[in-house]
Amino acid sequence: MIKTIKSSLAYLALLGFLVSCGSDTLDPAPTSGTISGSVLLFDEGSTRQEDAGMKVTVENTSPAISALTDAAGKFQLPNVSFGNHVLVYEKTGYGTFKKKVTDHKAASTPITDTPSLGKGSTTTVTAVELGVTGGNLVTAVTTSPAGNSSNRRYIRYFFSDTPDVSNTNYKGFSPTYIVQDAPYSKTFTPAELTSFGVSATGTLHVRVYGDSFFTNDYVDPVSNKRVFPNLNATTVASKSVTL
């Protein structure tokens, strides 16, 4: 009986020792990890540029967590707290790009979709003419420099039912169009206008901006509206037409 009690006490002492040792060596659960990714950089057209030197920052971190892309366009952001974040991409000559990273909860979170980012547009829109033919909106846009087959330029249209239409105040917008003639002519059908989210009847106000092939556009995480960082702000006033 005494021997049994001694054996039990010895077992409990050993168990207590092992438990105490285990509690001392347990690491706390991690609360941060590394976000990694890469970029592909271009001029305002489709010519590749050096990928190094783009600054990528985790928005609203203090002190700021940021990194520069290397020669291969890669970056790593260490010690980023778990959760949802917005990354800000910046480099001189390029429109600022933002990207949401959701559900960062691992020691390493790679961004698998690599953004292709372009330089800001140097295309100035100098004249816009509007007309209506057969119910279609007919446009003619003059740019500086003028576009041609060896010097492509790029433009984007913004539409609204108010005359203060702009790249930040719009009801709809077009894709980017390649300009290779002067002036550039583009006809929009009622179905196209409707697909942009604007009415194909009544008075339509239009404004046109120079853009880049890779536009760096993104949806603002706060306003939930699309932003176009590479537009050339120098353009003519809006034009209107009755459809």
Side-chain angles (χ1 to χ4, degrees), residues 2-235:
I2 296 175
K3 184 176 181 181
T4 303
I5 294 174
K6 288 182 177 180
S7 298
S8 298
L9 291 174
Y11 173 78
L12 291 174
L14 177 61
L15 181 62
F17 174 78
L18 292 175
V19 170
S20 65
C21 288
S23 63
D24 289 340
T25 58
L26 285 177
D27 293 328
T31 59
S32 65
T34 297
I35 296 176
S36 61
S38 59
V39 298
L40 295 173
L41 301 185
F42 296 81
D43 64 4
E44 63 181 292
S46 54
T47 301
R48 291 280 281 116
Q49 301 291 292
E50 181 181 348
D51 291 327
M54 173 158 276
K55 184 179 181 181
V56 184
T57 304
V58 182
E59 193 172 57
N60 297 327
T61 52
S62 181
I65 300 175
S66 63
L68 294 177
T69 56
D70 62 18
K74 297 180 179 181
F75 64 89
Q76 288 192 338
L77 298 162
N79 303 318
V80 181
S81 61
F82 290 163
N84 301 329
H85 295 281
V86 175
L87 303 187
V88 182
Y89 297 67
E90 299 171 295
K91 186 176 182 179
T92 301
Y94 290 78
T96 298
F97 174 68
K98 294 186 178 184
K99 183 177 182 61
K100 292 176 68 174
V101 177
T102 58
D103 205 22
H104 166 53
K105 59 181 180 181
S108 177
T109 299
I111 299 173
T112 56
D113 53 328
T114 299
S116 295
L117 303 177
K119 289 186 175 181
S121 175
T122 61
T123 300
T124 301
V125 173
T126 57
V128 176
E129 296 180 9
L130 306 180
V132 179
T133 301
N136 297 323
L137 171 63
V138 180
T139 72
V141 179
T142 303
T143 65
S144 177
N148 54 57
S149 58
S150 60
N151 183 27
R152 292 181 174 185
R153 315 309 293 181
Y154 308 90
I155 61 172
R156 188 188 294 269
Y157 294 75
F158 291 84
F159 307 95
S160 183
D161 52 7
T162 60
D164 57 349
V165 59
S166 70
N167 63 302
T168 59
N169 183 39
Y170 58 83
K171 290 293 181 64
F173 57 87
S174 75
T176 298
Y177 296 110
I178 301 173
V179 175
Q180 298 186 90
D181 46 14
Y184 170 77
S185 298
K186 172 63 183 174
T187 297
F188 296 96
T189 66
E192 284 180 292
L193 294 174
T194 300
S195 71
F196 299 152
V198 296
S199 174
T201 60
T203 300
L204 183 65
H205 300 272
V206 183
R207 201 165 189 190
V208 189
Y209 295 81
D211 205 348
S212 302
F213 183 79
F214 293 102
T215 63
N216 301 9
D217 61 297
Y218 63 92
V219 175
D220 183 84
V222 176
S223 68
N224 206 35
K225 201 159 189 177
R226 189 159 293 276
V227 179
F228 303 88
N230 280 349
L231 295 180
N232 188 333
T234 303
T235 187

